[in-house]
Amino acid sequence: MKLLSILTGLAILDSGLAIPYSEYILAPKSRTLHPVSVHNTWGPVTNPSALLTTSSTSSPDSNTTTTFHSTSSLTYDFGLNIAGIVSLNTVSTSASNQTIGVTFSESSLWVSNKSSDATADAGKDEILWFEIEGPGVVTARKEKGRGAFRYLTVVYEGTGSIEVGGLEVHYTAMPHWEDDKLGEYTGWFHSDDDLLNRIWYAGAYTNQLCTIDPHYGDALVHIFQINASVSDATNVTWWSNYTITNGSSALVDGAKRDRIVWAGGKFQTLSKYMSIAIPGIVVSTNDVVSVENSLTSLFDIQNPSTGQLPYAGRPFPSGNISYLRTLWPKYKLALHFSLSYIDSTGLMNVTSPADWLRSGMGGHNIEANAILYHTLNQATLLASVLNDTSPSISYWSLTASRIKQAANALLWNNEAGMYIDNETTTLMPQDGNAWAVVSNLTLNASQISSISEKLQGRWTAFGAPAPEAPVPSSNISTISPFITSFELQTHFLASSAHTALALIRRQWGFMLTSPLMTNSTFIEGYSSDGSLHYAPYANDARISHAHGWSTGPTSLMTFYVAGVQVTGKGGGEWRIKPMLGI
Ligand SMILES: *[C@@H]1O[C@H](CO)[C@@H](O)[C@H](O)[C@H]1NC(C)=O
Ligand SMILES: *[C@@H]1O[C@H](CO)[C@@H](O)[C@H](O)[C@H]1NC(C)=O
Ligand SMILES: *[C@@H]1O[C@H](CO)[C@@H](O)[C@H](O)[C@H]1NC(C)=O
Ligand SMILES: *[C@@H]1O[C@H](CO)[C@@H](O)[C@H](O)[C@H]1NC(C)=O
Ligand SMILES: *[C@@H]1O[C@H](CO)[C@@H](O)[C@H](O)[C@H]1NC(C)=O
Ligand SMILES: *[C@@H]1O[C@H](CO)[C@@H](O)[C@H](O)[C@H]1NC(C)=O
Ligand SMILES: *[C@@H]1O[C@H](CO)[C@@H](O)[C@H](O)[C@H]1NC(C)=O
Ligand SMILES: *[C@@H]1O[C@H](CO)[C@@H](O)[C@H](O)[C@H]1NC(C)=O
Ligand SMILES: *[C@@H]1O[C@H](CO)[C@@H](O)[C@H](O)[C@H]1NC(C)=O
Ligand SMILES: *[C@@H]1O[C@H](CO)[C@@H](O)[C@H](O)[C@H]1NC(C)=O
Ligand SMILES: *[C@@H]1O[C@H](CO)[C@@H](O)[C@H](O)[C@H]1NC(C)=O
Ligand SMILES: *[C@@H]1O[C@H](CO)[C@@H](O)[C@H](O)[C@H]1NC(C)=O
């Protein structure tokens, strides 16, 4: 790739100046949003495109209203994934006290006049109904704000008609940022490759959409009731009014669906989720406060006796030493919970299956041990920042070097040129091989280039598959943009920027531009044949199309292609080492 110019990271411009590369920034310029086109209509609708330009406050005439007649519906397209609260301005009705409804969908696949896409493990979410007593504006209650949708369908099942003179959405993501400054990033990226530029900014925007008012998290109304065992659930009730954490903003995993960043309860994955979403945030919006609010809520509900955590990430992104100090005892407790699973081989024996929802995550698993190795090294680094010299610190270093030795002795297959998942299998996972490189569990450069080549050899037309997450009863497997972000790092660390960029274009290009995607945010997972089925879920409609863990290229293109990396605490030291590919 020929780089024309790259700017990144450094808030180098005074706030009065124009925002660079603003043509790529997807964040809306105002919180009041209107649809940009009509996607579909059913039944008798007069003047369907009238509401594309009007607002509920403008004075309507016959050319600026849309009339829904008996049994009709109309799907609007906002052009990109958004979040917010719907208002409708009714101008006239054939009778008082009627209802009109709306449904939401991120993907065009789930556009329907009967239901929204899903937030529960089964079924589809219920229509949001408005009671229309007569002319005037109706606005959804705050607990009926929707965390992510691109398509909005207005549904009229009455026998008369309703004339609507305005439709708008009040955008609710990034609640702590000023209404007209949602696109004021502090970091940017630019190259001569339009697709790569769009991918960088879509990653930044995905994390913005995943940043919500913590008083309006998913209430999970039917948790443990509507699950895969309920095959025909329809009309599932949903509210978004669960308080996730204190503060005025928080980072969640799936924008339409989740309460908080997920990662499945093990501390060794603490480095994992956050090593994708946080750097993406740091290099674009630098909205570190939302990350800290989410982390605080995590440690608040840590199991105080075992140290087990409810989710995961690389903490302390801001160089905020006092914040680090308050969480340090809990951090150590969590680490020691993980260390208690190391056995006489020197490796951790994983006994709880939860990770990123892949299967077979047990025993002397290569990924879990690579992450634990990485976390021990990180913890040692943090201890030195805090001047903690307690005996456990040298135990961490010793344990880390034993893990490295044992993993290479027991799990490296020299013939295949990759690591096996555990000693009882020939399966060579994407996650564990990528993590072995990322964590420097490898002993030499030839292991790294071998893993890079073998992983590349597996790509399908839609991206890099994870054989450790097969799709049951098929010969395909899951594509996890989360795990592929670690594969991208593997290719960069193998000094093959060319391979990494080819994978970004192939996989994230598909995720951006497929007609079933949002053309603006990144999906949490799909299948290696390109279908929108994510094997860990029974319910395809539940898949999130705005997922922080899928935003790897944003930070990785800054860190490796532009080559800008922070190397000292709190941004005190930088390394600039661009890596050009084509
Ligand atoms: C409505 O649109 C038609 C055709 O464009 C135009 O002739 C007419 O003047 C418009 N009416 C109003 C009230 O704006
Ligand atoms: C909903 O869409 C179906 C076609 O999928 C159509 O038959 C039905 O009339 C529509 N209902 C409304 C209220 O528009
Ligand atoms: C409409 O509903 C309101 C409130 O529920 C009620 O007071 C009113 O009588 C109803 N009007 C008609 C025509 O049904
Ligand atoms: C799944 O849902 C069924 C029906 O509501 C319920 O009886 C069962 O306990 C649920 N199972 C789990 C694991 O939550
Ligand atoms: C959907 O559920 C609501 C209650 O949340 C109920 O009033 C409505 O009748 C249900 N609709 C259908 C079609 O089951
Ligand atoms: C959330 O909203 C639902 C539906 O309106 C309501 O029943 C529930 O009490 C609300 N919960 C909280 C905590 O406000
Ligand atoms: C909010 O902060 C208070 C005081 O620190 C704490 O007790 C409470 O658990 C926090 N609430 C949440 C939802 O984190
Ligand atoms: C070892 O790895 C294989 C392949 O992923 C898996 O099927 C098996 O369950 C794993 N063993 C354990 C104990 O998890
Ligand atoms: C891991 O621990 C479990 C539970 O204690 C045990 O059954 C299993 O054999 C151990 N696996 C290995 C590879 O040691
Ligand atoms: C650690 O010690 C160094 C040298 O004494 C000191 O400059 C630094 O402020 C200390 N850091 C902390 C977090 O106490
Ligand atoms: C990775 O490990 C090797 C030894 O296996 C060591 O020589 C090298 O310095 C390590 N690299 C980094 C970046 O820590
Ligand atoms: C996708 O978005 C880009 C701008 O980000 C726009 O130029 C392009 O036309 C959109 N594609 C589709 C199919 O809407």
Side-chain angles (χ1 to χ4, degrees), residues 155-491:
V155 185
Y156 179 63
E157 291 179 347
T159 52
S161 65
I162 293 185
E163 183 185 13
V164 178
L167 168 74
E168 65 187 42
V169 171
H170 178 75
Y171 187 80
T172 47
M174 298 296 284
H176 57 315
W177 275 26
E178 281 180 55
D179 294 356
D180 56 349
K181 299 204 162 118
L182 299 173
E184 296 210 350
Y185 292 5
T186 53
W188 308 279
F189 178 90
H190 193 70
S191 73
D192 67 347
D193 186 315
D194 189 58
L195 180 61
L196 293 181
N197 295 341
R198 286 179 56 208
I199 289 169
W200 194 96
Y201 286 92
Y205 180 64
T206 299
N207 284 319
Q208 287 192 288
L209 203 63
C210 292
T211 303
I212 70 167
D213 180 335
H215 303 98
Y216 295 95
D218 187 351
L220 301 176
V221 181
H222 295 290
I223 191 160
F224 305 130
Q225 292 164 13
I226 293 183
N227 53 42
S229 78
V230 186
S231 60
D232 61 347
T234 53
N235 200 30
V236 175
T237 39
W238 58 277
W239 319 313
S240 305
N241 58 0
Y242 181 87
T243 297
I244 296 169
T245 182
N246 292 312
S248 57
S249 64
L251 179 68
V252 298
D253 198 8
K256 85 168 163 190
R257 197 189 66 205
D258 288 332
R259 280 183 181 173
I260 205 81
V261 164
W262 173 90
K266 289 202 306 283
F267 183 72
Q268 79 271 16
T269 54
L270 190 63
S271 299
K272 200 157 95 179
Y273 179 88
M274 290 291 179
S275 67
I276 298 299
I278 293 181
I281 288 169
V282 170
V283 302
S284 57
T285 59
N286 200 25
D287 177 30
V288 169
V289 67
S290 304
V291 175
E292 289 187 351
N293 286 337
S294 291
L295 279 173
T296 305
S297 77
L298 154 69
F299 281 103
D300 273 356
I301 48 177
Q302 180 183 36
N303 181 324
S305 54
T306 65
Q308 185 169 21
L309 289 174
Y311 85 112
R314 174 207 266 171
F316 326 121
S318 60
N320 181 341
I321 299 290
S322 56
Y323 179 71
L324 172 57
R325 193 180 282 116
T326 58
L327 292 185
W328 187 236
K330 291 179 174 181
Y331 184 102
K332 287 169 80 171
L333 191 61
L335 183 54
H336 284 263
F337 174 76
S338 288
L339 294 180
S340 68
Y341 286 87
I342 291 180
D343 64 24
S344 58
T345 61
L347 294 175
M348 168 187 234
N349 174 8
V350 179
T351 54
S352 103
D355 186 34
W356 59 273
L357 305 182
R358 56 155 287 187
S359 54
M361 168 50 80
H364 295 136
N365 176 274
I366 180 65
E367 189 214 28
N369 278 283
I371 295 173
L372 183 57
Y373 175 74
H374 173 77
T375 307
L376 285 165
N377 291 332
Q378 290 282 312
T380 305
L381 202 73
L382 292 173
S384 73
V385 169
L386 290 174
N387 297 332
D388 181 343
T389 54
S390 55
S392 55
I393 315 300
S394 49
Y395 170 67
W396 294 348
S397 310
L398 185 68
T399 306
S401 61
R402 281 189 184 144
I403 291 174
K404 181 162 178 163
Q405 197 180 15
N408 281 287
L410 292 173
L411 303 176
W412 176 254
N413 180 329
N414 206 39
E415 236 162 274
M418 294 183 101
Y419 291 92
I420 49 175
D421 212 23
N422 59 61
E423 320 88 306
T424 68
T425 181
T426 54
L427 186 134
M428 311 200 185
Q430 181 194 22
D431 63 358
N433 278 281
W435 261 99
V437 175
V438 169
S439 67
N440 197 32
L441 194 75
T442 47
L443 295 165
N444 55 57
S446 67
Q447 282 178 305
I448 297 175
S449 49
S450 169
I451 291 171
S452 167
E453 278 163 31
K454 304 285 170 169
L455 288 174
Q456 182 180 11
R458 296 171 167 182
W459 296 353
T460 75
F462 306 97
E468 68 274 25
V471 177
S473 321
S474 78
N475 56 3
I476 59 172
S477 55
T478 296
I479 288 186
S480 168
F482 180 39
I483 301 306
T484 305
S485 293
F486 301 108
E487 180 176 332
L488 291 177
Q489 290 179 60
T490 300
H491 301 309

Side-chain angles (χ1 to χ4, degrees), residues 4-293:
L4 295 179
S5 65
I6 290 174
L7 247 186
T8 187
L10 300 159
I12 39 179
L13 296 187
D14 290 328
S15 55
L17 298 178
I19 300 297
Y21 312 115
S22 52
E23 71 271 27
Y24 287 105
I25 295 175
L26 295 168
K29 294 187 170 54
S30 143
R31 286 196 185 271
T32 303
L33 303 182
H34 300 283
V36 297
S37 63
V38 170
H39 179 72
N40 215 342
T41 64
W42 294 278
V45 180
T46 310
N47 208 3
S49 53
L51 302 185
L52 301 181
T53 46
T54 54
S55 76
S56 58
T57 49
S58 64
S59 66
D61 63 41
S62 59
N63 283 358
T64 58
T65 65
T66 295
T67 304
F68 295 85
H69 304 277
S70 183
T71 318
S72 61
S73 50
L74 196 176
T75 301
Y76 294 101
D77 181 356
F78 282 80
L80 78 173
N81 215 349
I82 61 167
I85 293 174
V86 179
S87 292
L88 282 169
N89 183 14
T90 305
V91 175
S92 68
T93 63
S94 61
S96 55
N97 292 8
Q98 304 197 69
T99 58
I100 195 165
V102 297
T103 71
F104 304 93
S105 185
E106 293 186 278
S107 169
S108 59
L109 195 55
W110 307 112
V111 163
S112 165
N113 61 22
K114 297 188 176 56
S115 56
S116 294
D117 56 9
T119 51
D121 289 348
K124 307 274 170 50
D125 286 1
E126 66 181 351
I127 296 178
L128 167 56
W129 290 108
F130 293 93
E131 306 291 331
I132 308 292
E133 288 174 16
V137 175
V138 287
T139 298
R141 296 188 311 272
K142 281 186 117 178
E143 72 261 27
K144 287 304 220 172
R146 191 78 177 178
F149 62 98
R150 173 174 166 176
Y151 301 94
L152 182 137
T153 302
V154 178
V155 185
Y156 179 63
E157 291 179 347
T159 52
S161 65
I162 293 185
E163 183 185 13
V164 178
L167 168 74
E168 65 187 42
V169 171
H170 178 75
Y171 187 80
T172 47
M174 298 296 284
H176 57 315
W177 275 26
E178 281 180 55
D179 294 356
D180 56 349
K181 299 204 162 118
L182 299 173
E184 296 210 350
Y185 292 5
T186 53
W188 308 279
F189 178 90
H190 193 70
S191 73
D192 67 347
D193 186 315
D194 189 58
L195 180 61
L196 293 181
N197 295 341
R198 286 179 56 208
I199 289 169
W200 194 96
Y201 286 92
Y205 180 64
T206 299
N207 284 319
Q208 287 192 288
L209 203 63
C210 292
T211 303
I212 70 167
D213 180 335
H215 303 98
Y216 295 95
D218 187 351
L220 301 176
V221 181
H222 295 290
I223 191 160
F224 305 130
Q225 292 164 13
I226 293 183
N227 53 42
S229 78
V230 186
S231 60
D232 61 347
T234 53
N235 200 30
V236 175
T237 39
W238 58 277
W239 319 313
S240 305
N241 58 0
Y242 181 87
T243 297
I244 296 169
T245 182
N246 292 312
S248 57
S249 64
L251 179 68
V252 298
D253 198 8
K256 85 168 163 190
R257 197 189 66 205
D258 288 332
R259 280 183 181 173
I260 205 81
V261 164
W262 173 90
K266 289 202 306 283
F267 183 72
Q268 79 271 16
T269 54
L270 190 63
S271 299
K272 200 157 95 179
Y273 179 88
M274 290 291 179
S275 67
I276 298 299
I278 293 181
I281 288 169
V282 170
V283 302
S284 57
T285 59
N286 200 25
D287 177 30
V288 169
V289 67
S290 304
V291 175
E292 289 187 351
N293 286 337

